[in-house]
Structure formats: C-alpha cells, structure tokens
C-alpha cells in the first residue's frame, strides 16, 4: 500500500510536516500548525517560497523585513469567508504568533528569491461555484495561475456540500506535456463538518499500478503523487480541503479519465 494518507501527529503544535523528502517527490511541501493564543511558529524559507493560509483564527504575521500585524477573521473554516493569506519569498523567514486559537497552513514549493513578502488574501479571493447537481462545489482560488502571486505554488480551498463529489470527474495532471497536461504534485488537507464525519478519496492510475481508496477523517492529509484523485462527502457531512500543487510549470492543465469524461462533456456542452 502506498503511504498516501497522513494523520496528524497530535492535537497541538506542528501536526503535519510533509516535505518533498517525506512524500518521495520533488516539489510540494505542506505543514499545519494548531496554535493557542500567544504561541508562536517561525521558520526559515530557504530555497522555497511559502504561502501561509490562516485556515482558522487570528494571528500576528511578519516576514524577515515586514510586519503585517494581526490578520484573520474566519474563526471556523466552514463560515466560508475568504481566507487571510500571506506570501513569503525564498531566502527569507516568517513568524506567526496566534492571538486566538489558530489553524495555520504552510504551503511550500521550490523558488528563487526575488518576490516581495505580501498579503494575498482575502482581497482578490472570491467564492466561485463549480460543477452541476451532486458535483457542485465551491472554490476559493487563493493562488491559481490567473493570480501572479507566486513562482511555483498553486493553492486553492474547496467546499464540498453534504452528499456531493469533488475533484470529479476523475482527472490527472501527472505528465510534463504542456499544453495538454502539466506535472503537478498535490496535497489535500481535509476537514469535515461536523468534525466527527468522514469522507472518501481514491487515488488511482489508469494502468492500475496505483489504486488506493481512503476514508479520511477531519485533519487528515492525502498525497497525490500521480493519477486520478476524486473525493466524496457522505450525506450529513460537509467536506473542506486545502489544495497545494506545484511542479515544473505554474500552470494547471489536466485530463479527465477517459471512462468518465462523458460526464464533463455532458455537463459542459
């Protein structure tokens, strides 16, 4: 079995620390902190750029040379308010001090220094509806390619209503073959509402060399090194996930699974 499902290591502090080395790939890193008021997280960026996402709560955020003050107003992720986010360039550092209970996502990918540290959300981030019927979901595109806010990172939030599907029809972006497809590694940080819920995610290739179906609990991270990766949210439970993608090119080009592409074509005539 591939080691694609990562459970949080505990209730507090840095509960996820996914690096290219631990994921056995080349680009995406993802960390997650649970901080109490007054607790601080600080890291050097080194050869990576970072997008800090205040998933929940408020915190004072600073980079090596800028102080952004207190940010955040979404106390529960399922309020569906656009998130407060900060870009930190390579060759710098960042410090976050929680002023309330705080959930902080740390999205990383290789980059060279040169960009400025800046706040990139909530301004510029608006909720978009995607899909039809039981495939309807709602997106906060934090740092997709239409926003020139990073060198490598692509970051987005998705809310999947009770009983709906997401990242569906199944699609893949695992070949460096632009413009038909781009190679992008991806992480999914899942949350469920109510918290005791569960969801499903399948990661599978068309040749069957990888085929894992996972029951995800609130707080889990799923790694997508290749293949298709649809999610399902059972009746009664709403699913949220924070996606981090990166690869050789900062563009998102994918192909639907040939067996299921008819759904996309039917819904997008």
């Amino acid at each position: 079995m591939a080691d694609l499902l990562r459970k949080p290591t505990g209730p507090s502090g840095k509960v996820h620390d996914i690096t290219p080395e631990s994921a056995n790939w080349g680009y995406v890193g993802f960390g997650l902190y649970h901080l109490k008021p007054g607790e601080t997280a600080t890291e050097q960026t080194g050869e990576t750029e970072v997008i800090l996402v205040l998933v929940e709560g408020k915190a004072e955020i600073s980079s090596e040379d800028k102080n952004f003050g207190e940010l955040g107003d979404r106390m529960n992720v399922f309020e569906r308010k656009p998130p407060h986010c900060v870009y930190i360039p390579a060759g710098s550092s960042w410090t976050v001090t929680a002023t309330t209970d705080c959930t902080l996502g740390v999205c990383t990918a290789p980059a060279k220094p040169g960009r400025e540290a800046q706040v990139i959300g909530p301004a510029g981030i608006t909720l978009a509806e995607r899909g039809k019927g039981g495939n309807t979901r709602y997106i906060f595109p934090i740092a997709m390619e239409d926003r020139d806010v990073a060198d490598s990172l692509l970051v987005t939030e998705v809310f999947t209503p009770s009983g709906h599907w997401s990242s569906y029809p199944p699609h893949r972006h695992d070949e460096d073959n632009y413009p038909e497809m781009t190679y992008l590694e991806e992480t999914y940080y899942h949350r469920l509402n109510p918290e005791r819920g569960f969801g499903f995610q399948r990661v599978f290739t068309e040749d069957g060399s990888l085929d894992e179906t996972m029951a995800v609990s609130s707080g889990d991270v799923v790694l997508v090194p290749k293949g298709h990766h649809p999610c399902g949210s059972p009746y009664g439970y709403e699913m949220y996930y924070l996606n981090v993608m990166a690869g050789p090119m900062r563009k998102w080009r994918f192909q639907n699974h040939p067996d299921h592409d008819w759904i996309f074509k039917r819904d997008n005539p």
Side-chain angles (χ1 to χ4, degrees):
M1 177 178 286
D3 185 20
L4 303 183
L5 179 62
R6 304 294 175 92
K7 298 282 185 181
T9 57
S12 60
K14 193 171 190 180
V15 302
H16 284 291
D17 188 11
I18 293 158
T19 65
E21 292 75 25
S22 70
N24 194 31
W25 59 26
Y27 295 91
V28 170
F30 179 72
L32 191 88
Y33 286 89
H34 288 304
L35 302 174
K36 296 290 186 185
E39 292 182 338
T40 293
T42 184
E43 293 184 8
Q44 301 288 323
T45 60
E47 296 181 349
T48 67
E49 61 184 1
V50 176
I51 291 178
L52 302 173
V53 179
L54 275 172
V55 178
E56 289 168 323
K58 300 180 181 182
E60 295 176 351
I61 300 180
S62 60
S63 70
E64 191 170 76
D65 55 357
K66 291 185 180 180
N67 187 342
F68 301 104
E70 186 184 51
L71 300 174
D73 67 349
R74 187 173 72 182
M75 305 311 289
N76 183 306
V77 69
F78 290 100
E79 294 172 10
R80 292 197 193 178
K81 294 179 180 177
H84 288 237
C85 307
V86 177
Y87 177 86
I88 309 291
S92 182
S93 63
W94 57 265
T95 300
V96 172
T97 302
T99 54
T100 69
D101 286 350
C102 174
T103 303
L104 174 72
V106 184
C107 315
T108 71
K112 289 183 166 44
R115 287 183 178 267
E116 287 192 17
Q118 62 172 323
V119 175
I120 61 170
I125 303 172
T126 56
L127 195 66
E129 182 177 315
R130 190 176 294 166
K132 293 185 177 181
N135 198 39
T136 304
R137 61 271 197 210
Y138 301 92
I139 318 291
F140 277 132
I142 294 169
M144 296 305 284
E145 65 187 86
D146 59 333
R147 298 190 77 200
D148 182 20
V149 294
D151 287 345
S152 299
L153 281 167
L154 296 163
V155 180
T156 193
E157 292 185 316
V158 180
F159 297 86
T160 306
S162 160
H164 284 217
W165 286 86
S166 197
S167 294
Y168 188 86
H171 67 269
R172 65 184 178 96
H173 38 72
D174 54 11
E175 294 180 31
D176 187 9
N177 184 32
Y178 183 78
E180 282 73 32
M181 194 186 306
T182 47
Y183 173 86
L184 294 169
E185 302 156 355
E186 187 167 18
T187 56
Y188 280 67
Y189 165 62
H190 287 281
R191 293 284 298 276
L192 279 302
N193 182 33
E195 191 84 6
R196 60 185 176 274
F198 63 94
F200 292 104
Q201 185 157 24
R202 183 185 180 197
V203 180
F204 66 106
T205 56
E206 290 164 32
D207 65 5
S209 61
L210 175 63
D211 194 347
E212 301 290 344
T213 300
M214 292 154 279
V216 296
S217 299
S218 198
D220 290 352
V221 173
V222 171
L223 309 184
V224 182
K226 61 181 178 179
H228 304 272
H229 39 279
C231 305
S233 185
Y235 175 71
Y237 294 98
E238 180 183 10
M239 175 186 280
Y240 158 94
Y241 52 82
L242 172 61
N243 278 143
V244 184
M245 294 187 287
M249 181 181 293
R250 191 176 179 263
K251 293 184 183 297
W252 182 49
R253 299 291 185 275
F254 60 87
Q255 287 185 3
N256 291 324
H257 193 294
D259 288 349
H260 311 296
D261 191 41
W262 67 270
I263 299 169
F264 179 85
K265 290 175 178 173
R266 180 198 64 189
D267 290 355
N268 299 273

